[in-house]
Amino acid sequence: MIIVGAGPAGLTAGIFARSRRLETLILDAGKAGGQLVFLYPTKLIHDYPSYIRIGASDLAKLMVTHAKEQGCTINEDEEVVGLERKEESCLVKTSKGEYEGKTVILAIGMGLFEPRRLGALGEDKYHGNGVYYRIPCAEDFEDKRVLFVGGGDTALEMALSLESIAKEVILIHRKDVFRAMEENVENVEASKINVMFRTELKEIQGNECVNRVVVFNNETEEDTTIDVDAVVINIGFSPNLAKATEWGIELDEKGKHIPVDASMRTSIEGVFACGDIVMYPGKDKRIVTGCGEGATAAISAYKYIKKPYWA
Ligand SMILES: Cc1cc2nc3c(=O)[nH]c(=O)nc-3n(C[C@H](O)[C@H](O)[C@H](O)COP(=O)(O)OP(=O)(O)OC[C@H]3O[C@@H](n4cnc5c(N)ncnc54)[C@H](O)[C@@H]3O)c2cc1C
């Protein structure tokens, strides 16, 4: 079995595949652990059953260790660039070589993590020098004044994760209400975070690095200049599925997800999918749901290989 993506969904699929003693290769374009290590390693996770709270990178490390202990081979820094259905197998082409599997599970999350850009003046100029789309290391923001942009769970959770580290955290949102889980909204309300609703980022200014921003209140139509050291933009990620289209997989009408049935089957025989990349009625993008789908995908793939399946 070849699993593309070593996030929670792919790693869980690997653990289940190995319990059926399938030879299992997991390929990841980056580091194993998915979004937990790439996007929010220092954030605490409160909704993964049995861990009342656990750091994202610690949870990812445990999942990777579990998959390896079960006997999965995990190749990091190896991007899958092609997928071809053969008569009896699937050929997977990567940045480093080719592999043939009896079945493939696509667990590619949001693709290769392309954050949505805001398009504010100065955003491109200061990218990497004060403008960020993720928080790789919370300590880098120690004693800094940080402005977050966004009103969804990602923005709120990232802002909360820096509240006790940064000198000041400001959160601006263009609407007058957050689009986030009640728990996150409550935590922000109870925090010291300075929330500015109906506010949009107009311009990022500075010299070598970011020094200040100009924000625009879309209700009063007034501009305000605020001194900040960093801007973190969290307005979502654009799934990059250009390659999946070339692989011949049917996507949903927006071209952003892979529709699956209850067995996690895709439109290509022998190819299954799980995690953030899939869509079905009632789908929710969480770690625990991705893990559940990973288990289902692995069991379905096992049954597919073992045709006729009886045990
Ligand atoms: C800021 C933030 C906070 C969150 N907090 C929580 C939380 O507290 N609790 C919760 O349950 N969920 C949370 N989530 C959601 C959760 O992270 C995702 O639902 C989960 O990571 C999905 O897992 P996945 O395995 O489907 O995908 P991912 O974690 O995205 O992993 C996919 C992997 O596939 C790899 N990949 C992609 N394309 C290729 C390719 N072509 N070749 C090889 N590899 C490829 C990527 O490198 C990546 O490692 C949060 C999300 C964000 C952004």
Side-chain angles (χ1 to χ4, degrees):
M1 176 185 291
I2 299 173
I3 298 170
V4 187
L11 291 167
T12 308
I15 291 164
F16 276 75
R18 285 298 301 148
S19 70
R20 292 300 191 148
R21 293 295 179 258
L22 298 180
E23 204 182 314
T24 306
L25 171 65
I26 308 180
L27 300 161
D28 200 291
K31 299 293 170 219
Q35 293 170 44
L36 288 75
V37 293
F38 187 78
L39 291 180
Y40 55 93
T42 52
K43 187 181 98 82
L44 283 178
I45 292 173
H46 299 267
D47 54 8
Y48 191 80
S50 82
Y51 292 101
I52 295 160
R53 68 191 70 78
I54 182 167
S57 65
D58 292 334
L59 180 61
K61 216 179 279 169
L62 285 166
M63 288 185 183
V64 174
T65 306
H66 195 167
K68 283 185 177 163
E69 290 268 325
Q70 277 287 90
C72 295
T73 302
I74 303 179
N75 287 8
E76 297 184 310
D77 301 316
E78 185 162 1
E79 184 186 348
V80 170
V81 293
L83 174 67
E84 213 178 291
R85 175 77 217 173
K86 302 269 185 197
E87 209 165 300
E88 295 284 323
S89 64
C90 292
L91 183 69
V92 172
K93 296 180 185 168
T94 76
S95 48
K96 295 183 179 167
E98 287 185 358
Y99 305 90
E100 207 161 339
K102 284 191 175 160
T103 179
V104 170
I105 294 182
L106 298 175
I108 55 178
M110 298 184 291
L112 297 178
F113 302 121
E114 283 185 24
R116 236 175 250 148
R117 304 282 165 115
L118 197 62
L121 283 172
E123 183 178 347
D124 288 343
K125 181 175 173 194
Y126 292 107
H127 183 195
N129 284 319
V131 172
Y132 307 92
Y133 297 88
R134 62 189 183 102
I135 298 173
C137 179
E139 279 68 41
D140 291 350
F141 295 85
E142 207 172 331
D143 282 332
K144 298 218 164 127
R145 296 158 302 179
V146 189
L147 180 105
F148 283 83
V149 183
D153 286 309
T154 305
L156 271 63
E157 288 175 359
M158 287 204 188
L160 283 164
S161 75
L162 288 195
E163 192 210 348
S164 58
I165 294 167
K167 188 187 203 174
E168 188 185 0
V169 175
I170 304 163
L171 174 60
I172 65 166
H173 180 40
R174 68 194 161 98
K175 301 219 168 118
D176 55 6
V177 59
F178 289 124
R179 222 180 115 197
M181 288 191 295
E182 288 76 358
E183 185 183 17
N184 284 331
V185 174
E186 259 176 41
N187 288 339
V188 166
E189 283 168 355
S191 75
K192 298 187 304 255
I193 296 171
N194 176 4
V195 176
M196 297 170 76
F197 285 115
R198 304 284 310 247
T199 304
E200 300 175 30
L201 181 62
K202 202 167 167 186
E203 187 172 355
I204 301 162
Q205 300 174 345
N207 298 315
E208 300 283 293
C209 298
V210 170
N211 293 142
R212 75 197 81 82
V213 289
V214 180
V215 296
F216 167 75
N217 184 305
N218 59 29
E219 195 173 23
T220 61
E221 303 200 336
E222 271 170 25
D223 283 355
T224 310
T225 301
I226 310 172
D227 288 340
V228 297
D229 306 299
V231 176
V232 185
I233 298 170
N234 297 117
I235 53 164
F237 292 83
S238 310
N240 181 354
L241 289 183
K243 293 210 174 86
T245 321
E246 286 166 26
W247 302 343
I249 299 245
E250 193 184 292
L251 301 180
D252 63 0
E253 66 239 14
K254 288 189 180 155
K256 290 188 171 171
H257 295 97
I258 300 174
V260 287
D261 65 8
S263 324
M264 301 295 130
R265 270 190 307 199
T266 70
S267 59
I268 302 184
E269 197 193 319
V271 178
F272 300 80
C274 53
D276 277 11
I277 194 61
V278 302
M279 192 44 75
Y280 53 83
K283 163 72 187 168
D284 199 25
K285 293 184 180 181
R286 305 301 291 171
I287 298 167
V288 75
T289 49
C291 291
E293 293 155 11
T296 303
I299 294 162
S300 301
Y302 173 77
K303 289 179 181 173
Y304 171 79
I305 293 172
K306 287 283 171 185
K307 274 185 296 199
Y309 171 75
W310 65 93

